[in-house]
Amino acid sequence: MRPVWAEIALPAIVRNFKSIKSYVNPAKEKRTTPRQVLCIVKGNAYGHGGPQVAVALEKAGSDWFGVTCTEEGIGLRKAGVRKPILILTGFVPGEEQRLLEHNLTAVIHRCEQLSQLERAVARRGKRKVSFHLKIDSGMNRLGISPSDVDCFARQLAKSPHLQLGGVMTHFASSESFSETGVGRQTREQEERFYVALERLRSLGIDPGIVHLANSAAIVTRPETWADMVRPGAILYGYHPGYDPIEQRAEIEKRLPLEPAMSLRSKIISLRDVPAGVGVGYGSSFLPQKSSRIAVLAAGYGDGIHRSLGNRGSVLIRGALAPMVGIVSMDVTMIDVTEIPGAQIGDVATIYGTDGNFSHPAHLVARSIGTVTSDLLCAVSQRVPRIYFH
């Protein structure tokens, strides 16, 4: 096996899920039924393996699962998942039969999709099929405009085989708490959403399950929890980058999380490079002194972000070794001059934990100005996942 792999701790994901479930169902709150949790496992469960993660979370009590597309939903069904699966970006014409065949729940984000789904249900001879409606409350991405609620209601009345099972929206900036700009956007989105929801109710339409809260809103905005929450990155052990930065530590203490993935590779070559001699493509690294340069058997084709070249580091023998030169598709160079005893075969942790040492992915992501999910989802299919149960 090529010496690059990702270790996935499924118990950590399960513990994160249970912590989230308890967090959004505080004992002091009087509810007739517990608030539901829809686990986001799109993007191959943020690189962790969608079917494997979903199977573990279903056993742990997940109420729903959220995926991007029909294909991802079918993958979960083939793995044996039986809980409801929500197709977050809806469907394209021609996919309707696959939705119905595999009992997947569509998200409608354009009024004309109702008639498409209605025809498919009628042809299949089903009596009623449930779907969720997405309302665009200000992100301007997917969802019907609040002004189109009346149009939606009229179209739904013409669809005898369809039943509204839930209404949702998505926050654009729920991790920001500044007093101006995007910091106010979440509250404005929430207000627009509930105006649209009340309009639906006034038209005699039961909205079903109401859900708004993504990861950041789950942790920081209990007023948005509604009937169900949708954890994404926090399932896998990572908080969003809350703004302002000064509040991050305090916020993260509210919901302790365990990162579940460690991406690793091995040293496959070592060489001594004199001072001033270039390393890698374009000789972008010129050592200031004679240096010991190691080569890892992993590159951007495996998920090491190319922008980490000459900026990132890896954890090896309990210390951080800097990445040097441009990250290649299949290999990455590191400077192990200050790592005593470094040798071919040593394991390097690109991010994750190694014994008592940690090199967390969210700090790696912040160091290059991206989000944690960017790194996690970048771990390619050619990297084997090793699951710990």
Side-chain angles (χ1 to χ4, degrees), residues 15-86:
R15 285 192 290 270
N16 291 336
F17 162 74
K18 290 182 177 180
S19 295
I20 294 164
K21 184 92 170 177
S22 297
Y23 186 76
V24 299
N25 286 289
K28 64 182 180 181
E29 189 178 39
K30 305 297 182 182
R31 286 181 62 88
T32 55
T33 57
R35 192 171 277 110
Q36 298 185 63
V37 177
L38 182 152
C39 292
I40 301 294
V41 292
K42 65 180 182 178
N44 199 28
Y46 287 58
H48 293 70
Q52 295 87 343
V53 169
V55 167
L57 287 173
E58 184 171 59
K59 290 179 182 177
S62 176
D63 301 291
W64 282 73
F65 293 99
V67 297
T68 294
C69 58
T70 304
E71 195 65 32
E72 287 185 337
I74 293 173
L76 298 196
R77 289 288 185 237
K78 288 182 176 179
V81 173
R82 293 291 172 262
K83 288 290 182 70
I85 300 173
L86 192 65

Side-chain angles (χ1 to χ4, degrees), residues 331-355:
V331 297
T332 300
M333 284 77 73
I334 60 173
D335 186 343
V336 295
T337 307
E338 304 301 326
I339 308 292
Q343 60 186 349
I344 291 175
D346 278 357
V347 174
T349 299
I350 297 152
Y351 52 76
T353 57
D354 182 11

Side-chain angles (χ1 to χ4, degrees), residues 104-175:
L104 305 174
T105 303
V107 169
I108 295 293
H109 55 80
R110 300 193 318 274
C111 286
E112 61 267 26
Q113 290 179 305
L114 282 170
S115 59
Q116 296 167 5
L117 188 57
E118 167 66 25
R119 289 193 294 270
V121 177
R123 284 195 301 268
R124 198 170 179 84
K126 290 201 171 191
R127 296 183 62 184
K128 281 282 186 182
V129 166
S130 179
F131 68 94
H132 286 210
L133 171 67
K134 187 168 191 175
I135 293 174
D136 176 22
S137 57
M139 193 169 186
N140 291 307
R141 194 174 66 173
L142 292 176
I144 70 165
S145 168
S147 62
D148 288 334
V149 167
D150 286 45
C151 170
F152 167 82
R154 290 193 298 270
Q155 189 65 47
L156 182 61
K158 299 176 185 177
S159 306
H161 297 91
L162 300 183
Q163 179 177 354
L164 182 61
V167 180
M168 64 181 291
T169 194
H170 191 64
F171 293 133
S173 310
S174 56
E175 70 283 355

